[in-house]
Amino acid sequence: MADELNPETPDETPEEPIKQRKNGLYPGVSDELAESMKSGWADTELHGLEPIAQAEHTAARRAALSARFPGERLVIPAGNLKTRSNDTDYPFRASVEYAYLTGNLTEDGVLVLEPADAPNGNGSHKATIYLLPRSDRENGEFWLNGQGELWVGRRHSLTEAGELYGIPASDVRELAGALREATGPVRVVRGYDAGIEAALTDKVTAERDDELRVFLSEARLVKDEFEAGELQKAVDSTVRGFEDVVKVLDKAEATSERYIEGTFFLRARVEGNDIGYGSICAAGPHACTLHWVRNDGPVRSGDLLLLDAGVETHTLYTADVTRTLPISGTYTEIQKKIYDAVYEAQEAGIAAVQPGAKYRDFHDAAQRVLAEKIVEWGLVEGPVERVLELGLQRRWTLHGTGHMLGMDVHDCAAARTESYVQGTLEPGMCLTVEPGLYFQADDLTVPEEYRGIGVRIEDDILVTEDGNLNLSAALPRRSDEVETWMAALKS
């Protein structure tokens, strides 16, 4: 990594001098060099830009937000870079609320909806997107600052941003001062930009701000056409990532679970923005650890591999898919017995995903099948109704059978319980169906042959007008189909 002169972020005004980096190799900048760097650069302004693909949808989302909070100033930050170590940062990911309303994904951005009188008297808002403008060449920020464009890449000009996002753009460095002087009711999405929150500290309340976050979370419960398309893109890339993994299982056996993690990550970065969450590449008994993301264990023929992974698109929509695969290519008798039970439970869960159904119906349907199985196998005393009433199956099923999916892998998490878990399924909702059975290696209540086996099968299901659509149906689920699929990929 190059040793920049100044790693400071561009939060100073252009008039302030650029600070020199401590222990940098150059003690300063001569007047002659400073003058040279100010001139001789071509005009790179982009003209005639087309709006981003989702601009029409983000405008509709802002209109719905405006209607919900008339007469109030609404502030939605993207967030700032976070330091990983010393002068290196984590990759930036814009807040979901900001990305959902703008389509912009750059750090330090802020969307502000200013209340304005509408002709019909109902009230409306004027939207402005506040961004860092192009790097200043007069004061040397573009080459001396650690976040200048010669270090981290060109930013869009404010004019370009306005054309791309369909929102007038202004300099974000002026926003905090303006917010301090603002009057009237205001709400902010908290947790992303400490500077913006500090400017509003005497104008907002936690309760009112939480109402804003809850509304934006519930607005994402039903996906529009653009979002459904992006989720399908994410799933399609994820399917190819799973195929990649099967093709290199021999190399994973020679190394570790890390080879699986790296293989899937390559697909995510080539076709998408990133992985949507830390990939779970759990071989052998690690499959019984629900969120095994260390991925440092051995991959052995004869064991199962529980791969739970998802590609995130460039618009931040993620897939979330799980398959439990025989590393050798063939399930053993006991592995198949447990796998087929989970498959049967998932089939029941998917069938329960219907418009008008209660959200938790798919969970109850899958849990009933698993409870029946553990009673049938003699692991717990029946009847099944007693097992379900007391939750006894949870020793081996552990988690809920699914969750909403979208820009967050666990999307809409701030929604009210009555709108989510106690709600009703509607066309456009997207959720996972992912039952599992996990027999811990040290569980003395089950036969020894069960111990260390963990199975989860997860698919991404879109609620439609007349039922549901399995977005990840291209990945085989039935045990015999999984074996045939793996054999074809390895041949």
Side-chain angles (χ1 to χ4, degrees), residues 32-48:
E32 289 78 6
L33 177 57
E35 283 302 313
S36 172
M37 293 297 289
K38 291 179 182 180
S39 60
W41 305 100
D43 180 9
T44 61
E45 183 74 9
L46 304 176
H47 301 282

Side-chain angles (χ1 to χ4, degrees), residues 325-394:
L325 310 173
I327 294 168
S328 68
T330 305
Y331 295 100
T332 66
E333 183 178 348
I334 186 63
Q335 289 169 352
K336 186 176 185 299
K337 173 183 175 179
I338 296 169
Y339 183 95
D340 287 349
V342 175
Y343 171 77
E344 187 178 330
Q346 195 202 26
E347 283 282 272
I350 292 174
V353 177
Q354 302 284 336
K358 294 179 181 178
Y359 170 81
R360 61 177 303 121
D361 284 353
F362 77 96
H363 169 72
D364 293 340
Q367 289 292 299
R368 175 170 292 277
V369 172
L370 295 178
E372 290 171 350
K373 294 297 181 182
I374 63 173
V375 170
E376 176 187 329
W377 297 341
L379 303 185
V380 66
E381 182 180 350
V384 170
E385 294 299 338
R386 168 183 170 271
V387 173
L388 291 170
E389 181 181 356
L390 299 177
L392 300 181
Q393 82 283 0
R394 293 181 61 187

Side-chain angles (χ1 to χ4, degrees), residues 181-195:
E181 302 300 321
T183 58
V186 60
R187 298 176 191 254
V188 63
V189 177
R190 299 188 183 207
Y192 298 115
D193 193 318

Side-chain angles (χ1 to χ4, degrees), residues 186-188 190 197 200-206 208-209:
V186 60
R187 298 176 191 254
V188 63
R190 299 188 183 207
E197 289 182 38
L200 295 170
T201 186
D202 59 342
K203 307 176 191 297
V204 295
T205 66
R208 288 166 53 82
D209 293 346

